[in-house]
Amino acid sequence: MKFNLKQFAIALALFLAGYVTFNTNLFAQTLEKPKVSIAVGGKNLFYYLPLTVAEQLGYFKDEGLQVEISDFAGGAKALQAMVGGSADVVSGAYEHTINMQAKNQAIVAFVLQGRAPQIVFAVNNKTMPNYKTIADLKGKKIGVTAPGSSTSVMASFVLAKAGLKPTDVSFIGVGAAAGALSAIRSGQIDAIANLDPVIAMLEQKGEIKTIADTRTLKDTNDVFGGPMPAATLYAPEAFIKKYPNTTQALTNAMVRALKWIQKAGPSDIIKAVPESYLLGDRALYIAAFLKVREAISPDGTFPDAGPAIALKTLQAFEPDLASKKIDLSKTYTNDFVKKANAKYK
């Protein structure tokens, strides 16, 4: 038989098309909900780097998922989107699951992105050059990504340890990018609770003075007294029960991203994130990444002591929460993470 290159090429193309169709159908049969919408508050932050990596490197697609990510000014806004029905899942702080249970809404975190909050609380050297103690912040304006977000929680806890209530200051939402930088430089706020790369840029030019830092495991332990779960993927309990295979697929992609980050070099990170994330300074972005790298979970597992530390933190400045009976076992699960780690050893 005479070999015909053109016919071979056509046959190969048809085979590949059939293979792709077969696998797509296989995913469709396996996943109860292939299209998933995720809300996040401040996607450019290192806090949510695993989410960006999973998206940019195609890990969600490899699991058969079509993921649409909507970015909001802060975690509280992302939570609102999910509660309102415009998002299925949130890439957000673990403590939201506790607060929502207190409101009789079952929300479950199913994969951990960060084992340290990475949040820095600092004063504005422009408006408070003579700052001495936290008591000096009474009556001042504090910039957070969004009121009610993890940045607000961290700042409230630090204030509470110094004897100040959240109502003793004014929290102002400034976002997690250029708006936060502008708020400090214009003197709109007297202090800020935010994350890298924003904080790194302000530190570089000596525009802020750090009060509390949770970018490393040691610093986090000093501030909270133990491990503080940070970014997670969480969803309504009803979603997880109805779509367990979809939840597993989301977890698989995230765990794979976490493991990639552990091995990735600075240049790999730069290539994996959109140019806009760098805020115009690649060298600073790399330096900031290396500083917070250990804060990113290596495998997505929630630490045993973490949830209790988060509850204790919230109770320090939310008196109403102290009277609520919270079942921490219903705020998170490691079941999906265990299977994901078995798949991506």
Side-chain angles (χ1 to χ4, degrees):
M1 182 182 292
K2 188 176 180 181
F3 178 77
N4 188 307
L5 184 61
K6 184 176 180 180
Q7 289 180 337
F8 174 76
I10 293 173
L12 179 62
L14 290 172
F15 169 77
L16 291 174
Y19 177 79
V20 171
T21 301
F22 170 77
N23 279 279
T24 300
N25 289 336
L26 183 63
F27 277 131
Q29 292 169 6
T30 304
L31 300 181
E32 310 93 346
K33 186 176 173 60
K35 293 183 179 181
V36 179
S37 56
I38 300 177
V40 60
K43 190 184 173 191
N44 65 299
L45 300 171
F46 287 123
Y47 192 83
Y48 298 119
L49 180 62
L51 176 72
T52 293
V53 168
E55 177 194 34
Q56 295 292 317
L57 298 189
Y59 293 166
F60 288 125
K61 290 182 180 178
D62 289 348
E63 296 292 333
L65 293 165
Q66 297 178 49
V67 169
E68 180 182 347
I69 301 175
S70 299
D71 198 10
F72 295 85
K77 298 291 185 182
L79 172 62
Q80 288 173 11
M82 187 192 74
V83 172
S86 59
D88 300 309
V89 176
V90 171
S91 178
Y94 164 71
E95 60 259 25
H96 289 307
T97 66
I98 296 175
N99 276 326
M100 293 304 286
Q101 188 182 123
K103 298 175 182 177
N104 297 315
Q105 294 193 50
I107 305 296
V108 181
F110 55 88
V111 58
L112 183 70
Q113 296 182 65
R115 54 181 179 173
Q118 305 177 36
I119 302 167
V120 174
F121 190 16
V123 295
N124 188 345
N125 287 335
K126 182 175 184 177
T127 63
M128 298 192 71
N130 300 315
Y131 170 85
K132 293 291 188 299
T133 68
I134 293 176
D136 295 337
L137 290 174
K138 188 170 184 178
K140 301 297 183 180
K141 297 176 181 177
I142 299 177
V144 294
T145 53
S149 296
S150 57
T151 49
S152 178
V153 168
M154 187 269 200
S156 295
F157 181 67
V158 173
L159 291 172
K161 289 203 298 182
L164 293 182
K165 300 176 182 178
T167 52
D168 288 331
V169 300
S170 296
F171 286 112
I172 299 175
V174 296
L181 297 173
S182 177
I184 282 285
R185 291 166 180 168
S186 66
Q188 178 188 348
I189 55 177
D190 302 298
I192 187 170
N194 219 294
L195 307 94
D196 285 335
V198 169
I199 291 296
M201 300 198 79
L202 294 172
E203 285 179 327
Q204 184 186 48
K205 297 186 178 181
E207 295 171 284
I208 56 174
K209 179 179 180 180
T210 298
I211 298 173
D213 193 337
T214 62
R215 286 176 289 190
T216 68
L217 297 180
K218 180 184 180 302
D219 288 339
T220 296
N221 188 75
D222 290 344
V223 172
F224 296 106
M228 180 69 170
T232 68
L233 282 193
Y234 64 73
E237 182 182 45
F239 176 94
I240 294 173
K241 287 184 175 179
K242 187 176 182 179
Y243 309 118
N245 294 339
T246 299
T247 303
Q248 186 63 62
L250 287 167
T251 307
N252 291 346
M254 293 299 293
V255 167
R256 190 178 172 192
L258 291 169
K259 291 180 179 293
W260 182 88
I261 292 171
Q262 294 301 311
K263 298 179 180 179
S267 60
D268 298 320
I269 297 296
I270 290 290
K271 293 175 185 176
V273 303
E275 184 74 23
S276 60
Y277 284 23
L278 311 181
L279 295 179
D281 195 327
R282 290 192 173 202
L284 183 64
Y285 188 88
I286 289 174
F289 164 70
L290 293 175
K291 189 169 184 177
V292 304
R293 188 175 199 159
E294 72 167 344
I296 298 172
S297 173
D299 58 10
T301 303
F302 289 88
D304 292 338
I309 292 293
L311 176 59
K312 182 180 177 181
T313 297
L314 293 172
Q315 289 174 333
F317 61 89
E318 293 185 17
D320 292 343
L321 192 60
S323 63
K324 300 282 186 178
K325 186 176 182 180
I326 302 296
D327 185 346
L328 291 175
S329 68
K330 293 183 179 179
T331 61
Y332 76 100
T333 177
N334 279 322
D335 292 347
F336 297 98
V337 168
K338 288 176 182 176
K339 293 179 180 178
N341 276 283
K343 181 175 182 178
Y344 295 110
K345 294 181 180 179

